[in-house]
Amino acid sequence: MIATDLDGTLLRDDRTVSARTIAALAAAEAAGIEVFFVTGRPARWMHVVATAPLDGDPARRSFLTNGIAICANGAAVYDLHRDLLLEAFPLAEPDARAVVAAVRDAVPGTTFAIERTGGFHYEPEYAAAWAEADSLVGPIEELLASDADQPVLKLLARHDSADPDAFLAAARGVAGQHAEFTRSSPSALLEISGVGVSKASTLARCCAERGITADEVIAFGDMPNDLAMLSWAGTSYAVANAHPDVLAATTHRTSANEDDGVAHVIEAILSDYA
């Protein structure tokens, strides 16, 4: 299996997939290699890889035959072809409330947002770059109490001036028993999932269902939210533009996302198959 992050890894900086990368992924599938997208993105942002397929078949919404993606840092499994949420591993509301209280006390000025299965909601002070028309705006305590039938996939914590890595360390220190903390943004934006939920945990579950072992997985990433997956996979690659922690944690390197680094590796693997 090939398991790849999207933003900063597979996608170019303009958040598109190059023709070369699409061709490499499709060729990997044709050679019998499973391909999974494993991303921090919510399911509703998967249109970038849920596009018209190479063969023009209107029954397929993705250029991949498999079409299964792990979203929200492992909190959701999504079918690209059917536009369907298959599984969710949510953050429990009591844990979310405990995180809010602890992090806000430890790092004053922190604002919060939540990603539910049904949409994104945020506090008035939260700088929401990707707000949508149906987003609710209000205190996080009220947002956590509303739409209880829609599980919380991620809690997000933002700070306008904190150092991103220091913010992550502080949050883990005061609330690590209630949730998993990571980040994928260059800014001080934390992504918070249920205890034990990560890209690695859900990827391992999906692999087990398919009879694939960790040793058979090649993973690609660039940011701290990829570390668990990269550590779990038998073979791990950091793109050249990766965070220093990712570069230190992986044993293989490839070109930057802007230079089709994932495609370079896949093409080399397929040449060995030939």
Side-chain angles (χ1 to χ4, degrees):
M1 176 184 284
I2 291 168
T4 180
D5 172 54
L6 293 181
D7 294 281
T9 301
L10 188 79
L11 305 185
R12 293 188 168 182
D13 289 345
D14 63 0
R15 296 186 173 88
T16 61
V17 190
S18 72
R20 178 180 181 179
T21 295
I22 290 174
L25 292 171
E29 274 202 328
I33 301 171
E34 293 249 25
V35 178
F36 264 53
F37 301 124
V38 189
T39 179
R41 287 184 173 222
R44 68 180 187 283
W45 285 3
M46 295 301 290
H47 57 278
V48 67
V49 288
T51 54
L54 292 178
D55 59 10
D57 181 355
R60 290 174 54 193
R61 297 184 65 253
S62 171
F63 51 77
L64 295 181
T65 301
N66 171 38
I68 303 298
I70 295 171
C71 301
N73 290 330
V77 182
Y78 177 63
D79 186 322
L80 295 171
H81 296 307
R82 294 184 289 167
D83 192 18
L84 180 67
L85 179 69
L86 300 178
E87 289 186 281
F89 306 100
L91 172 64
E93 183 181 331
D95 284 322
R97 290 182 179 276
V99 167
V100 168
V103 174
R104 185 166 274 162
D105 182 64
V107 190
T110 300
T111 57
F112 293 92
I114 55 173
E115 183 72 54
R116 292 190 181 272
T117 54
F120 173 77
H121 313 299
Y122 59 98
E123 292 191 298
E125 301 81 10
Y126 184 94
W130 303 101
E132 299 174 357
D134 58 353
S135 293
L136 301 177
V137 181
I140 190 62
E141 294 79 9
E142 293 181 9
L143 297 176
L144 286 169
S146 65
D147 295 330
D149 60 326
Q150 299 177 6
V152 176
L153 298 179
K154 284 198 299 185
L155 180 69
L156 297 115
R158 182 186 292 278
H159 200 280
D160 290 339
S161 60
D163 173 81
D165 289 324
F167 188 31
L168 175 59
R172 283 175 172 167
V174 298
Q177 71 272 34
H178 295 291
E180 301 294 334
F181 291 81
T182 190
R183 72 179 192 87
S184 60
S185 170
S187 64
L189 175 63
L190 306 184
E191 301 167 54
I192 305 160
S193 305
V195 173
V197 176
S198 69
K199 289 187 175 186
S201 66
T202 304
L203 178 60
R205 181 188 181 100
C206 290
C207 285
E209 292 171 352
R210 291 159 176 78
I212 297 171
T213 65
D215 288 345
E216 297 174 297
V217 177
I218 302 171
F220 297 86
D222 75 308
M223 287 296 282
N225 66 326
D226 297 315
L227 285 169
M229 173 179 72
L230 294 169
S231 297
W232 178 80
T235 304
S236 60
Y237 279 87
V239 287
N241 52 288
H243 186 281
D245 288 352
V246 175
L247 291 169
T250 50
T251 54
H252 295 83
R253 305 283 183 272
T254 186
S255 305
N257 64 316
E258 279 288 281
D259 298 320
D260 298 319
V262 175
H264 278 290
V265 176
I266 294 173
E267 289 163 358
I269 291 170
L270 296 179
S271 70
D272 290 341
Y273 271 41

